[in-house]
Amino acid sequence: VAKEHRRGSGETFDKRYEQASRDSMTVLNDLRIALENKELYLVLQPKVNIHTKAVMGYEALIRWRHPEKGNVPPGAFIPAVEKSGLYYTLDLYVARAACELINAHPELNVPISINISANSLHHETFVDDLKAEFIAARIPFAKVELEVTENALVHSDRAIGELHRLHQCGFAICLDDFGAGFSSLGYLLRLPIQVIKIDRAFISHLTDSDEAKAVLEGIIKIGRDLKKQLIIEGVETEAQLTLLQSMQVDFVQGFFFYRPLPVPEALALLGSHQN
Ligand code: C2E
Ligand code: MG
Ligand code: MG
Ligand code: MG
């Protein structure tokens, strides 16, 4: 909803915008309280090796149990967080929660990934503060993978520089939602990434469109040639899985295997497939 309606322009607010901004103010206020009260917690979605069906890693995803509204999905507050300054606080909160989780579960023998906002890479002290969380918790950086959603912000010189610093100290970096937004294949060469997670959009059209299949095959080929680890997200059906198996894909994530799970349930899977 356009710039004409910006505060201070002397014009009246668009009603929808007014509602949206009021809601996002409410969300942000509630969220500040939630961060203090620890209403936010992590669930884990397994990443699966499609040949052995073993869990090869976990992605930590944030959940919010609001005292009045009940469970608020990330889609309802992450966008507001990204537009405010709160991404920095949230990302560090998640890092700390991940550290606590790792220390509480010594049986965790596969990497865990956390999502960080590309905005945080533009924050003055974020990288040092993130490292400090892991150092304080005595957790080696290499135990953790950082997922950053591909968008315009991630392609700035500043963000790329900060990603290099994170990679140099041992974090694995995963480019999340690849292909969904501002992709430019040339950028792949500049980003210090080891993992590419291919956006769900490609998978959802896989079984009904030869074009979608061709594009996905192309992306997979590029990823392989660049020696990146590839993960396909959003695998929901057996038909999708069968097609992916014919495309030399090794790792997937999606409701077909597992939804995001409470931590104990997720970690109980570790023993069950000879990890
Ligand atoms: P994402 O990082 O791309 O995470 C994948 C999202 O897709 C998750 O939604 C997950 O539950 C969902 N998903 C996984 N498999 C399937 C599937 O087979 N089908 C469908 N339809 N969906 C699937 P979720 O947990 O609602 O998170 C949404 C987004 O919010 C995440 O996308 C991520 O960008 C952001 N987010 C989640 N947790 C955090 C966090 O701790 N910090 C930050 N900064 N962002 C987060
Ligand atoms: Mg992710
Ligand atoms: Mg994402
Ligand atoms: Mg994703």
Side-chain angles (χ1 to χ4, degrees), residues 260-273:
L261 300 169
V263 173
E265 227 176 287
L267 296 184
L269 298 167
L270 277 177
S272 61
H273 293 283

Side-chain angles (χ1 to χ4, degrees), residues 42-43 45 59-63 73-75 77-78 81-82 87 90-91 94 114-117 147 149 176-177 197 199-200 233-236 240 253-256 258-260:
L42 299 178
V43 291
Q45 187 178 30
E59 176 175 12
L61 293 159
I62 198 150
R63 293 293 177 265
F77 63 92
I78 295 289
V81 165
E82 305 242 309
Y87 47 82
L90 181 83
D91 285 355
V94 167
I114 61 172
N115 291 280
I116 60 167
S117 165
E147 297 194 10
T149 294
D176 202 350
D177 302 340
K197 202 186 266 191
D199 192 69
R200 181 150 58 85
E233 69 179 344
V235 179
E236 294 181 349
Q240 291 168 343
Q253 207 180 351
F255 295 170
F256 178 71
Y258 304 106
R259 290 182 174 259

Side-chain angles (χ1 to χ4, degrees), residues 129-165:
D129 298 339
L130 184 76
K131 287 166 68 177
E133 290 292 342
F134 288 91
I135 291 165
R138 299 173 181 273
I139 293 168
F141 301 130
K143 285 206 166 186
V144 184
E145 191 177 289
L146 305 175
E147 297 194 10
V148 190
T149 294
E150 182 180 47
N151 64 26
L153 276 175
V154 108
H155 293 310
S156 73
D157 290 342
R158 159 84 194 180
I160 293 172
E162 294 299 87
L163 284 176
H164 274 285
R165 285 180 63 209

Side-chain angles (χ1 to χ4, degrees), residues 200-222:
R200 181 150 58 85
F202 295 100
I203 289 43
S204 52
H205 297 294
L206 192 56
T207 47
D208 52 53
S209 144
D210 285 346
E211 284 84 358
K213 193 170 173 233
V215 172
L216 184 61
E217 277 172 333
I219 295 174
I220 290 169
K221 165 106 173 58
I222 290 167

